[in-house]
Amino acid sequence: QLQLVESGGGLVQPGGSLRLSCAASGFAFDYYAIGWFRQAPGKEREGVSCISRSGGSTNNAESVKGRFAVSRDNAKNTVYLQMNSLKPEDTAVYYCAAKFTYGDSCPRAYDYWGQGTQVTVSS
């Protein structure tokens, strides 16, 4: 019963901030790298950020560097995405995804996905 549940989305004005959470259950969380993805209406799903199993390695898409930060608390089985200086083009459904890894790096692809949480950036 492996499960990922996103939360923290909502409506925010341009320039505002949100913190998304990805809560995991049913598996050994500290063996899984976690990625954040987003999909806007009419567009392909794109990768946003990732974090390795220990948190020792992270990656961010060029479009969010300097604005978003990913972190994890393995004791709480939770990964976070702090989103600052939000822009209307950040509007999308945001998903977290998991991949079992032996090494402490972000993987190429992910096996398990959450249901998504809506982020809307608008005046």
Side-chain angles (χ1 to χ4, degrees), residues 71-88:
S71 62
R72 69 190 294 161
D73 185 343
N74 284 357
K76 295 182 177 180
N77 284 11
T78 302
V79 167
Y80 304 97
L81 184 66
Q82 180 66 48
M83 309 164 68
N84 300 321
S85 301
L86 283 161
K87 304 174 180 180

Side-chain angles (χ1 to χ4, degrees), residues 81-104:
L81 184 66
Q82 180 66 48
M83 309 164 68
N84 300 321
S85 301
L86 283 161
K87 304 174 180 180
E89 53 262 44
D90 296 318
T91 296
V93 177
Y94 284 71
Y95 301 88
C96 64
K99 173 72 173 179
F100 179 91
T101 59
Y102 285 108
D104 195 31

Side-chain angles (χ1 to χ4, degrees), residues 36-38 45-49 60-64:
W36 285 98
F37 297 79
R38 66 187 182 186
R45 185 171 60 201
E46 64 174 338
V48 177
S49 300
N60 297 109
E62 290 294 328
S63 59
V64 306

